[in-house]
Amino acid sequence: RRSWRLARNVWVDMGAIFATIGATVASSYAFVTPVRAKAQTRTKRSASTAVGARWMCDARTNPSKAHAEWFILKYSACWIASVGVVIALSLYESFGKWGYLLYCGACAAPALAWPLMFPCAADRGRPLGERYIVKANLWIAVFGFIGNYWYTHYFYNVLKADYTFPAHRLNDVPISMYLMTHAYFMFYHVLSNAALRRIRTGFVDNRARFVFECVAIGAMSYTTAFMESLTICGFPYYDFENRHMAYTLGSAFYGIYFLVSFPMFLRVNETKPMPMSQVFWESMGSGMAVLCLLDFVRVHLR
């Protein structure tokens, strides 16, 4: 009875939180001005350059990034389905240290290996450092490594979280989680790219759009963090001392990652090519920004 009451309290609180998020998004949306499509003259030039509100990258002007984003979405559907099967059938019970490492590595590796083996037409013959998929993998790999190596300890200390499955570890974090994070973050950030691109191409650039975009980033960040916590609740070896706190406060804590990373990741090759060195340092800078924000919250909660 007590566990039922606690579960009910979690859902009541989460319902209130998401109702507030939804109301805030709706309120900020009310003030934005949609971009009105201008009549285009029927010339070859206007037909080839007309670009309106869109979710996905324009394959005509940025084919390397457009192909990479579609590939990541399709590949993500495969590993997400496999995770569902592994958890539903409790296959993880037979993994052991090497099993976790191999499975998580198999989920992460295709993000880079497949596009390198089978490049799209826009990437064939192009140096690796100029391909969007390589830059995207570098950005996420750097940010994900920082997140696992440093940020995980905030969850250990603030939320009393713990990985209890057998694992090879680096800084007391399972190495398999470094790999799995790469697959998760590639998926999350392509979705955030689509949402932010739709806002930036679909509404007039003014203060109202800026506010709406900030609210949308906050809403996506919290929702992403909560949905990950909810979907892995069937995995018994990622434990929290207080699951209510993990869902409510923990989602906000985890969402701080994405407050920074979602808009920063969109910058990679969005309007112009970004050098690999800049990709690396922007990811490092984003990691430092998140580290500062997490520590500010830790100090406040102490």
Side-chain angles (χ1 to χ4, degrees):
R1 186 178 178 82
R2 182 173 179 273
S3 61
W4 178 86
R5 189 161 53 247
L6 288 174
R8 179 179 177 275
N9 290 339
V10 168
W11 291 113
V12 168
D13 290 344
M14 294 310 303
I17 289 171
F18 278 108
T20 303
I21 290 174
T24 305
V25 171
S27 298
S28 60
Y29 175 78
F31 294 97
V32 295
T33 305
V35 172
R36 301 299 178 187
K38 296 181 179 180
Q40 296 284 346
T41 58
R42 291 183 174 275
T43 66
K44 186 178 293 186
R45 182 169 181 269
S46 65
S48 63
T49 58
V51 177
R54 63 192 185 280
W55 295 90
M56 302 304 291
C57 192
D58 188 354
R60 297 169 298 175
T61 59
N62 198 347
S64 180
K65 186 168 185 175
H67 181 273
E69 289 186 338
W70 279 113
F71 163 74
I72 291 166
L73 290 178
K74 294 173 184 177
Y75 135 76
S76 295
C78 297
W79 71 255
I80 290 171
S82 78
V83 170
V85 171
V86 167
I87 291 179
L89 300 181
S90 300
L91 300 180
Y92 50 79
E93 297 290 1
S94 62
F95 277 2
K97 289 184 179 182
W98 287 104
Y100 280 106
L101 195 64
L102 291 173
Y103 174 74
C104 294
C107 288
L112 181 61
W114 185 270
L116 291 184
M117 292 188 295
F118 306 100
C120 65
D123 286 343
R124 289 193 196 109
R126 178 179 288 185
L128 294 180
E130 295 179 8
R131 301 182 188 184
Y132 173 77
I133 192 68
V134 176
K135 296 177 184 180
N137 272 277
L138 174 63
W139 202 103
I140 294 298
V142 171
F143 188 75
F145 176 84
I146 294 171
N148 280 284
Y149 191 88
W150 292 105
Y151 310 160
T152 304
H153 290 272
Y154 285 90
F155 287 85
Y156 289 171
N157 293 314
V158 176
L159 300 175
K160 308 304 179 186
D162 189 25
Y163 291 108
T164 58
F165 59 89
H168 303 279
R169 292 178 178 254
L170 176 63
N171 197 26
D172 200 29
V173 179
I175 295 175
S176 53
M177 290 298 96
Y178 289 82
L179 299 171
M180 202 67 212
T181 295
H182 193 79
Y184 271 91
F185 279 18
M186 291 292 284
F187 176 59
Y188 295 162
H189 287 79
V190 167
L191 292 182
S192 68
N193 275 3
L196 294 178
R197 188 179 293 119
R198 180 62 181 80
I199 293 171
R200 294 184 182 186
T201 60
F203 301 103
V204 174
D205 185 5
N206 53 25
R207 187 174 299 175
R209 192 190 80 176
F210 174 75
V211 171
F212 177 56
E213 182 175 322
C214 290
V215 170
I217 291 170
M220 289 190 298
S221 299
Y222 191 89
T223 302
T224 300
F226 171 72
M227 289 305 297
E228 182 177 318
S229 299
L230 181 64
T231 54
I232 65 171
C233 67
F235 181 64
Y237 300 117
Y238 185 40
D239 190 37
F240 291 98
E241 185 176 89
N242 185 328
R243 194 155 291 274
H244 180 278
M245 179 181 261
Y247 283 146
T248 53
L249 177 62
S251 295
F253 209 63
Y254 186 20
I256 291 173
Y257 292 29
F258 306 122
L259 288 176
V260 176
S261 68
F262 282 168
M264 289 300 293
F265 182 75
L266 177 64
R267 288 170 43 82
V268 181
N269 280 30
E270 182 68 7
T271 56
K272 62 181 180 180
M274 181 180 288
M276 286 287 281
S277 58
Q278 184 177 348
V279 172
F280 175 80
W281 287 114
E282 287 205 5
S283 184
M284 289 286 285
S286 299
M288 187 62 202
V290 173
L291 185 63
C292 289
L293 291 173
L294 289 174
D295 212 53
F296 294 157
V297 173
R298 179 191 64 82
V299 171
H300 176 72
L301 294 175
R302 189 170 56 188

